[in-house]
Amino acid sequence: MSDAVIDRKIDRSHMQVSNEVAIQIEKMNKWYGQFHVLRDIDLTVYRGERIVICGPSGSGKSTLIRCINALEEHQKGRIVVDGTVLSSDLKNIDKIRSEVGMVFQHFNLFPHLTILENCTLAPIWVRKIPRKEAEETAMHFLRKVKIPEQAHKYPGQLSGGQQQRVAIARSLCMRPRIMLFDEPTSALDPEMIKEVLDTMIELAEEGMTMLVVTHEMGFAQAVANRVIFMDQGQIVEQNEPKEFFSNPKSERTKLFLSQILGH
Amino acid sequence: MSETHAATVSYVRDTMLPPAEAPVTERGAIKWLRENLFSGWLNTLLTLIALYIIFVAVRAVMPWLMNSVWNAASLGECRQIVAAAGEGATGACWAVIRDRWHQYMFGFYPRELYWRPVLAFGLLFVALAPVLYYGNRRAELTLTATAGAFVIAVLFALGTPFGIVAAVTVLMAALLALAWAAPKRLVWVTVFYAPVCYLLLWGGSVWAPVTAIAGFALLAAVFVALQPRVGVPVALGAGLVAAVLWWAYPDATVARALSSILPIGLTAVPSTQFGGFLLAITIGVTAISFSLPLGILLALGRQSNMLIVKALSVGFIEFIRGVPLITLLFTASLLLQYFLPPGTNFDIILRVIILVTFFAAAYLAEVIRGGLAALPRGQYEAADSLGLDYWQAQRLVILPQALKISIPGIVSTFIGLFKDTTLVSFVGLMDPLRGVTQIVRADINWKGIYWEPYIFVGAIFFLMCYGMSRYSMYLERKLRTDHR
Ligand SMILES: Nc1ncnc2c1ncn2[C@@H]1O[C@H](COP(=O)(O)OP(=O)(O)OP(=O)(O)O)[C@@H](O)[C@H]1O
Ligand SMILES: [Mg+2]
């Protein structure tokens, strides 16, 4: 983990958790061949929650959030996103994917398209928004992540931190109601981590529902309303951040936290 | 100024010394020679051996080229002229090309109709302009203008009747004006090129190509009507079936009926009169333009999760790649006859085009599969997570990148395909290399001519293939966006 400091004052006026359910996961199980990756996952995410998921490598964090937008298929249990049950029906999957934004560790921008085209591609083709309007929206979000001046460059010409912020803007252009982040800062140099975390904090301040796999504990303490610890495919412990860090209950959590926090 | 300078700084040189010249061994040509040809005893030795080989080759070929004969009515006359140059002299007899160039270009296509293939050839480049130089208006204009000038010049040189030259000039000027004023409209030339070209080359009633287009219109209509309900593959399949049924049954009858009502058209030229580069280019260009989409579909089919689609694609690719092209050409009539209603008389050139297309498509599919495999999984996942459906993801994200990676392989396949068109001589067509040369040699005047036709035909093939290769390098440069 890096030591990116969250030094800003966080505006909590819009960070409200409603009692409307955004994601409901019940008894979800997943196997890779014979390997049981996720075991009986139960998780309810309410609208407006900022959840940080942590855990040792290979514990199934990525797999869990990738199941939520059907990048991975689960074999047992039920996932309901925004009232739509995730089944093998392609219509449902496409609907959920267009409502749920995802940000990857390696950005996954489209290298053959400019930044602006990256941001307008899905709105134009999936949402059928006129190009001009889509470009206005894209510029709005590029300004928000503070790189409007790069709009006509290609991803290969940007730094890692800038690319990741473009990736966030690209997701936001679809106006998602939920955002998933899979280790968005792990591929970045320390000085770029902060700019990406700042962008994510701003998003949280606006009340976005977020599921973030990260080892940035500073971010978890400052922004999350719940921290989930996973190990060997199970949710071992979850709590609000203050309790989670100061008073972990299970031995495994303690061990993990001592490894990651105490050097 | 220099005073204060001198006052404040104890010693600073005011004027720069002129730079000394580098030693002779580090300059210009000598440096280049030393670094590239004589940079060690092994390199020096290799350089000397290479120089000797070049010397021997030039000594053998030069006199032959220097004594070239351009004006002669027969090989015997050529030999007499060469013999006059001296004892034991050798000389090339290009007179054969001068005498028979038209057969190398057009086969037995009627002489008075040469303007039609020439015009079709020129229009080909106008039709290609928006494809080859998409978004590069200046290149599109240049290509259109060059094609126009070329056609008009050739028609003049061929002694085409004035009326036709004038009409073609007007047409080309109109196209140039279109390329100038509305470059986007030029795409319509591309869309309607195939039927126009067919009409120019084969002639006959205008209604045959028109009703053939109706088949494509039917395909499009069925596709558009069904696609939202049953998805791309099924809609495409249904559209194809409808189109094939149309072409197989009512098409010919309707065309005949229409031409009896309104008989307009051009003098018909049967396929048996096609030959030379006219034949090679007809087969090559058609097969190239159809094999690319087919190859893409096969590559995607091979990666598909749908078992039947995958099995069919793999089966097709492996079968076609596993069998020599000549075998396919020989069995063409048999194979294709199975799929067609009995009694259809299937044109030999069309038959060959279909097989060459299949052949190239199978190779292209594998080349493109390589490009698809080279893309990181993240690209698919990003496209999926944004909600793009399969075809959108392929068309907008995956294929543009995969095809870009595959450009060298794709162009190699195209070049191979184009050269393979010479194999059609095995099914009795007059390809420029063997087919026409055999006919030329059958003439008592040119019996025994050997090198000259091959060098001539080879040179033309080289020019075209080299052109394709240069274009692919341009395209790679143009599409490079990864700045790493
Ligand atoms: N496609 C796959 N096929 C087989 N096994 C897989 C596959 N993807 C992941 N796994 C395995 O599933 C387990 C969970 O993987 P996952 O990527 O979810 O872990 P993670 O918690 O995100 O780890 P990290 O912190 O290293 O990213 C790992 O043991 C991994 O080896
Ligand atoms: Mg992971």
Side-chain angles (χ1 to χ4, degrees):
Chain A
M1 92 162 245
S2 85
D3 301 316
V5 208
I6 311 287
D7 49 6
R8 53 182 283 181
K9 183 111 186 59
I10 290 175
D11 169 15
R12 295 180 183 277
S13 56
H14 297 281
M15 287 192 186
Q16 280 141 9
V17 178
S18 79
N19 51 11
E20 183 192 343
V21 174
I23 303 171
Q24 175 98 47
I25 302 177
E26 292 163 8
K27 292 263 166 287
M28 194 261 279
N29 280 268
K30 171 162 183 64
W31 287 263
Y32 281 122
Q34 291 297 309
F35 179 53
H36 201 166
V37 216
L38 294 178
R39 301 156 190 253
D40 287 333
I41 302 283
D42 281 306
L43 178 65
T44 306
V45 180
Y46 294 94
R47 188 156 311 289
E49 279 204 283
R50 287 95 38 209
I51 298 181
V52 162
I53 304 175
C54 59
S57 182
S59 53
K61 310 179 294 290
S62 301
T63 313
L64 171 60
I65 69 165
R66 289 157 61 88
C67 280
I68 293 173
N69 69 351
L71 284 184
E72 302 286 354
E73 216 180 340
H74 60 283
Q75 278 87 34
K76 249 174 80 180
R78 222 166 88 93
I79 301 180
V80 187
V81 182
D82 254 345
T84 312
V85 182
L86 211 145
S87 59
S88 55
D89 184 353
L90 286 179
K91 282 237 165 58
N92 281 353
I93 292 182
D94 283 340
K95 179 163 186 303
I96 287 174
R97 282 175 178 165
S98 63
E99 302 291 329
V100 178
M102 176 134 187
V103 176
F104 302 86
Q105 181 176 357
H106 295 287
F107 333 133
N108 297 350
L109 293 179
F110 305 133
H112 62 301
L113 300 177
T114 62
I115 300 307
L116 188 63
E117 288 165 343
N118 263 277
C119 292
T120 54
L121 186 78
I124 290 174
W125 292 96
V126 179
R127 291 246 190 275
K128 316 283 182 211
I129 292 173
R131 175 174 300 274
K132 214 167 151 312
E133 200 184 319
E135 283 178 354
E136 278 161 19
T137 312
M139 286 313 292
H140 167 76
F141 284 112
L142 286 175
R143 271 194 295 275
K144 212 176 177 65
V145 301
K146 303 191 181 63
I147 30 180
E149 70 283 358
Q150 315 280 7
H152 296 286
K153 290 193 181 166
Y154 286 93
Q157 295 165 299
L158 267 54
S159 76
Q162 291 174 323
Q163 290 193 44
Q164 193 60 296
R165 285 183 284 153
V166 171
I168 295 174
R170 176 175 74 176
S171 290
L172 293 177
C173 286
M174 287 294 282
R175 308 256 183 209
R177 308 188 66 190
I178 301 167
M179 286 286 286
L180 310 174
F181 294 82
D182 189 0
E183 307 208 26
T185 56
S186 328
L188 298 177
D189 293 337
E191 66 268 31
M192 297 174 188
I193 292 181
K194 190 170 173 310
E195 59 189 54
V196 171
L197 289 182
D198 275 343
T199 307
M200 290 167 63
I201 291 171
E202 272 169 39
L203 207 55
E205 285 173 338
E206 284 162 20
M208 176 65 79
T209 311
M210 296 164 70
L211 253 76
V212 185
V213 175
T214 186
H215 291 162
E216 293 296 335
M217 292 306 151
F219 175 81
Q221 272 162 335
V223 177
N225 66 310
R226 186 149 48 126
V227 181
I228 291 178
F229 174 68
M230 285 186 72
D231 192 21
Q232 297 181 3
Q234 284 171 313
I235 295 182
V236 176
E237 183 168 349
Q238 45 180 316
N239 214 333
E240 52 111 9
K242 215 179 242 158
E243 271 296 296
F244 181 85
F245 290 111
S246 60
N247 191 11
K249 303 223 163 46
S250 89
E251 282 309 311
R252 279 191 279 176
T253 317
K254 281 179 195 155
L255 184 65
F256 174 74
L257 285 178
S258 71
Q259 278 168 351
I260 196 167
L261 292 175
H263 324 262
Chain B
M1 184 71 200
S2 70
E3 261 171 39
T4 46
H5 199 157
T8 51
V9 185
S10 54
Y11 175 72
V12 167
R13 200 194 285 281
D14 278 334
T15 51
M16 284 313 219
L17 283 182
E21 254 187 280
V24 180
T25 50
E26 286 302 316
R27 258 184 288 147
I30 294 182
K31 176 179 180 203
W32 185 88
L33 278 177
R34 217 170 54 85
E35 281 183 357
N36 292 290
L37 297 178
F38 301 101
S39 63
W41 67 267
L42 181 65
N43 261 0
T44 309
L45 185 69
L46 289 176
T47 303
L48 291 177
I49 294 176
L51 281 177
Y52 179 71
I53 293 173
I54 293 172
F55 169 73
V56 171
V58 168
R59 195 180 56 180
V61 176
M62 269 321 267
W64 188 73
L65 284 177
M66 298 302 281
N67 292 335
S68 289
V69 177
W70 284 93
N71 284 310
S74 70
L75 185 58
E77 204 183 321
C78 263
R79 287 192 176 138
Q80 274 175 7
I81 298 173
V82 172
E87 188 65 25
T90 58
C93 183
W94 301 113
V96 64
I97 307 298
R98 204 185 146 103
D99 190 41
R100 295 304 188 93
W101 64 270
H102 55 279
Q103 277 182 343
Y104 281 102
M105 293 299 149
F106 301 101
F108 287 122
Y109 206 89
R111 272 201 161 197
E112 67 283 6
L113 299 181
Y114 280 175
W115 65 273
R116 279 165 36 180
V118 171
L119 178 59
F121 185 68
L123 287 178
L124 171 66
F125 289 94
V126 181
L128 280 178
V131 181
L132 295 183
Y133 295 107
Y134 176 75
N136 182 347
R137 185 150 167 258
R138 237 183 72 196
E140 285 180 23
L141 269 177
T142 315
L143 189 59
T144 310
T146 316
F150 171 83
V151 169
I152 295 163
V154 171
L155 290 189
F156 257 117
L158 288 172
T160 316
F162 177 74
I164 292 172
V165 181
V168 169
T169 310
V170 171
L171 173 68
M172 286 306 194
L175 288 175
L176 191 60
L178 184 68
W180 174 264
K184 293 230 167 79
R185 297 274 163 77
L186 216 52
V187 172
W188 290 106
V189 180
T190 316
V191 172
F192 287 108
Y193 178 72
V196 169
C197 173
Y198 172 84
L199 192 66
L200 280 174
L201 292 184
W202 277 274
S205 156
V206 291
W207 297 110
V210 168
T211 55
I213 298 178
F216 285 104
L218 189 65
L219 196 168
V222 171
F223 180 80
V224 170
L226 291 183
Q227 190 258 335
R229 255 163 288 166
V230 296
V232 173
V234 180
L236 193 64
L240 275 176
V241 169
V244 168
L245 283 177
W246 164 262
W247 288 322
Y249 298 104
D251 181 357
T253 326
V254 174
R256 222 171 299 128
L258 281 171
S259 38
S260 64
I261 299 168
L262 200 69
I264 37 175
L266 295 168
T267 320
V269 180
S271 285
T272 43
Q273 299 192 342
F274 282 54
F277 280 100
L278 167 61
L279 182 70
I281 294 173
T282 305
I283 297 174
V285 170
T286 322
I288 282 175
S289 27
F290 286 103
S291 62
L292 187 60
L294 186 59
I296 291 173
L297 289 180
L298 284 170
L300 294 180
R302 193 165 189 162
Q303 291 211 322
S304 166
N305 298 328
M306 286 180 277
L307 202 66
I308 298 178
V309 173
K310 185 175 174 139
L312 284 177
S313 307
V314 173
F316 183 91
I317 292 170
E318 295 303 339
F319 172 72
I320 299 276
R321 282 203 311 167
V323 176
L325 178 56
I326 296 179
T327 316
L328 289 178
L329 290 177
F330 276 137
T331 49
S333 47
L334 276 176
L335 271 178
L336 290 174
Q337 227 69 33
Y338 283 124
F339 302 106
L340 292 164
T344 357
N345 182 15
F346 210 23
D347 185 88
I348 173 99
I349 293 185
L350 187 56
R351 215 153 67 195
V352 166
I353 285 176
I354 290 177
L355 279 159
V356 175
T357 304
F358 283 178
F359 196 74
Y363 279 88
L364 282 176
E366 288 299 281
V367 168
I368 294 166
R369 189 165 69 98
L372 289 172
L375 283 197
R377 273 223 60 75
Q379 292 292 309
Y380 293 85
E381 289 175 354
D384 284 348
S385 74
L386 286 169
L388 295 170
D389 67 30
Y390 176 82
W391 292 101
Q392 287 171 337
Q394 292 299 337
R395 188 162 53 89
L396 302 167
V397 176
I398 306 302
L399 285 174
Q401 298 183 62
L403 290 178
K404 188 179 89 182
I405 301 173
S406 322
I407 288 173
I410 292 176
V411 173
S412 284
T413 312
F414 284 167
I415 288 177
L417 178 159
F418 187 50
K419 291 187 297 182
D420 278 353
T421 57
T422 51
L423 293 175
V424 299
S425 66
F426 284 98
V427 286
L429 288 176
M430 261 180 291
D431 81 293
L433 204 62
R434 184 162 168 268
V436 174
T437 304
Q438 253 174 2
I439 290 165
V440 170
R441 284 217 203 97
D443 183 340
I444 189 77
N445 284 332
W446 301 112
K447 202 164 152 42
I449 193 103
Y450 192 75
W451 289 102
E452 293 83 350
Y454 292 145
I455 291 175
F456 172 68
V457 173
I460 293 182
F461 267 112
F462 175 80
L463 279 182
M464 295 193 204
C465 296
Y466 186 65
M468 285 195 243
S469 159
R470 296 303 304 186
Y471 173 75
S472 92
M473 286 157 107
Y474 155 84
L475 197 60
E476 277 181 69
R477 262 198 318 278
K478 176 176 150 181
L479 297 180
R480 181 169 302 149
T481 57
D482 46 349
H483 309 281
R484 271 167 234 261

